[in-house]
Amino acid sequence: MRFWLVISVALFFLAGCGVVASPPPRAAVYDLRLSEESGDWATRPQALENRGPAVCPAALSLEVAAPSWLQGRAMQYRLEYRDVNRRQSYLESRWAAEPAEMVALALERFFTAPGVAAASSPGLTVAAPCRLRLALDEFVQVFVSGQESYALLVVRAELRPPGGESLVREEFVVRQVTPTPDAAGGVAGHRLALQLLAAELQSWLAVVGPATGCACRATTP
């Protein structure tokens, strides 16, 4: 009797070890891209076709900051139809880096891409780069129902001229419907929302840049 009891206990622990040893599912990792080669540009809205004049990269120093709850790789979402104040995260999907880091890299590539950046020329100079500071206040997928969601980006932009005497501020709120109500759809929605944000920033900089001295100028002969 004792023999069979020992065998039963041993089998129980072996079965338990088998369960514990099972590896958890590997999380899917996503990044943000703003390149024409990524394929996202093929479906860009008409707003991107009407973006402003070229930006002078040498005139800008970009900085992106985010609050503590966005300083992680979790892919966050809200169920607006249940509790809009509750922030949740996907268990099996995450970002490749923190949102602020991905946004900064994507915008830097956008502003230096052909057709966006002003062509380099010996006749263009800039005294000192202006600081473009972006405060990423929101970066989340919002579900209006179980079958419909949108990506939400809220950014406060500050442009400080080289001398720092004045400060120009603007808030940008971008909502982009996701193709599917899931993590992969949220990624696609965030990519397109970021493209829209980049286009709006470009148009805004084209207006306020020259007025604040944050633009490339032709060298006086």
Side-chain angles (χ1 to χ4, degrees):
M1 183 69 177
R2 181 176 298 177
F3 171 78
W4 291 112
L5 179 61
V6 171
I7 294 297
S8 300
V9 172
L11 290 175
F12 174 79
F13 278 106
L14 286 175
C17 291
V19 172
V20 173
S22 299
R26 181 173 298 179
V29 180
Y30 298 93
D31 63 358
L32 293 176
R33 295 170 295 173
L34 279 185
S35 78
E36 299 187 9
E37 290 76 15
S38 69
D40 296 329
W41 290 84
T43 57
R44 63 180 183 243
Q46 188 64 29
L48 290 179
E49 304 293 347
N50 301 325
R51 54 193 176 190
V55 172
C56 178
L60 290 177
S61 175
L62 180 64
E63 174 190 348
V64 182
S68 59
W69 55 88
L70 292 179
Q71 293 179 4
R73 298 169 58 191
M75 291 184 61
Q76 302 180 12
Y77 66 90
R78 295 180 187 271
L79 300 180
E80 189 178 64
Y81 61 98
R82 287 185 181 176
D83 187 356
V84 69
N85 296 316
R86 183 182 178 188
R87 189 180 294 266
Q88 303 183 62
S89 302
Y90 286 103
L91 296 179
E92 298 183 4
S93 300
R94 66 174 182 265
W95 294 113
E98 295 182 6
E101 181 181 349
M102 293 189 297
V103 169
L105 179 59
L107 290 179
E108 286 174 355
R109 289 178 175 176
F110 175 84
F111 288 133
T112 56
V116 177
S120 299
S121 170
L124 293 179
T125 62
V126 58
C130 294
R131 187 178 67 168
L132 175 61
R133 185 181 188 278
L134 304 180
L136 186 62
D137 290 339
E138 191 58 282
F139 188 88
V140 68
Q141 182 178 4
V142 180
F143 285 83
V144 296
S145 70
Q147 302 299 321
E148 184 180 356
S149 68
Y150 63 89
L152 174 63
L153 269 68
V154 179
V155 171
R156 286 177 292 118
E158 297 181 351
L159 184 62
R160 186 181 295 275
E165 294 85 0
S166 62
L167 193 66
V168 182
R169 298 184 179 92
E170 186 68 34
E171 183 180 69
F172 299 88
V173 179
V174 181
R175 295 178 177 86
Q176 175 60 47
V177 176
T178 64
T180 55
D182 53 19
V187 173
H190 275 98
R191 285 176 178 169
L192 190 50
L194 186 54
Q195 290 175 351
L196 291 169
L197 173 64
E200 291 186 16
L201 283 170
Q202 182 183 357
S203 298
W204 178 65
L205 290 170
V207 174
V208 302
T212 57
C214 299
C216 290
R217 311 177 186 82
T219 304
T220 303

